[in-house]
Amino acid sequence: DTINEFVTIPHPEQGEYKILKQGTGNGSYRVESVHIAEDASGEVRESVATMTGVAEENVITEEQVELGETGEVVLETSQDTVAPVTTVTLAGTAGTNDWYKSDVTVTLSATDNEDGSGVAKSEYSLDEGASWNTYTGPFFLTEEGSIALQYYSADTAGNKETIKTETIKIDKTAPEAKIMFNHV
């Protein structure tokens, strides 16, 4: 509930530290890693590594800093610059011309590159991007008509996939035919 918050590590050891940042809202942020040390002569030295970015609510990102032998703090920039890739799988009773004759189950599957930071989230929209839903598992489409499914995934390093669109067509109503006879 404050503008600034502090975490102190008394007597930190030399080596690598992982910093996980989770957005509590949307907007810019700044995180400073500071090492303050007093040498044998009583002189105080300070080393700072600053991380900045734009947070998205509930999205977790990761940074690493290293505390070197001489007390310097070095920000290890993320090597992950590749967005995840999401695929969609549709299950239902197929009709003709890419139409489904039943409800359709939609499954999204996202993978990050081999040395990537890992998938943080996948989201989808059924209203042309007006609202987004976090994907938590397969969901069903039951309404008839042509539905534009938009979806993407983001990784923990902040790489966001370009939004993809899949058109799903559902027609569960069987055609009706009328035959009329004229009696002569």
Side-chain angles (χ1 to χ4, degrees):
D1 294 335
T2 64
I3 293 174
N4 297 312
E5 296 184 22
F6 300 91
V7 175
T8 303
I9 302 173
H11 311 292
E13 294 183 14
Q14 173 185 333
E16 192 172 272
Y17 291 83
K18 183 185 297 187
I19 299 171
L20 296 174
K21 303 168 292 193
Q22 181 173 0
T24 56
N26 297 317
S28 59
Y29 66 85
R30 186 178 88 201
V31 175
E32 290 183 350
S33 294
V34 182
H35 181 255
I36 302 170
E38 185 177 345
D39 63 19
S41 69
E43 185 178 333
V44 175
R45 292 177 315 182
E46 185 176 290
S47 177
V48 180
T50 303
M51 297 158 253
T52 59
V54 177
E56 286 186 58
E57 188 167 5
N58 295 322
V59 174
I60 298 172
T61 57
E62 177 182 314
E63 296 280 354
Q64 292 182 359
V65 294
E66 185 171 340
L67 180 57
E69 289 180 35
T70 59
E72 76 279 359
V73 179
V74 179
L75 176 63
E76 295 184 6
T77 56
S78 172
Q79 298 301 311
D80 184 3
T81 58
V82 179
V85 176
T86 309
T87 56
V88 64
T89 303
L90 305 174
T93 305
T96 57
N97 297 323
D98 298 324
W99 284 85
Y100 285 91
K101 302 187 297 182
S102 68
D103 294 344
V104 175
T105 303
V106 179
T107 304
L108 298 179
S109 178
T111 56
D112 204 9
N113 55 311
E114 186 176 326
D115 295 323
S117 57
V119 176
K121 69 175 179 176
S122 297
E123 291 190 330
Y124 66 93
S125 174
L126 298 171
D127 57 9
E128 299 179 4
S131 63
W132 289 90
N133 304 294
T134 300
Y135 179 77
T136 57
F139 59 94
F140 301 96
L141 298 176
T142 59
E143 193 172 312
E144 291 186 277
S146 184
I147 301 158
L149 167 69
Q150 293 181 302
Y151 59 96
Y152 75 92
S153 294
D155 63 20
T156 60
N159 300 306
K160 186 175 173 182
E161 178 180 25
T162 302
I163 295 171
K164 297 177 179 176
T165 302
E166 178 85 19
T167 301
I168 304 161
K169 300 182 286 187
I170 300 174
D171 182 1
K172 299 184 284 187
T173 306
E176 190 175 298
K178 292 184 181 182
I179 300 174
M180 301 174 79
F181 294 96
N182 283 338
H183 188 299
V184 189

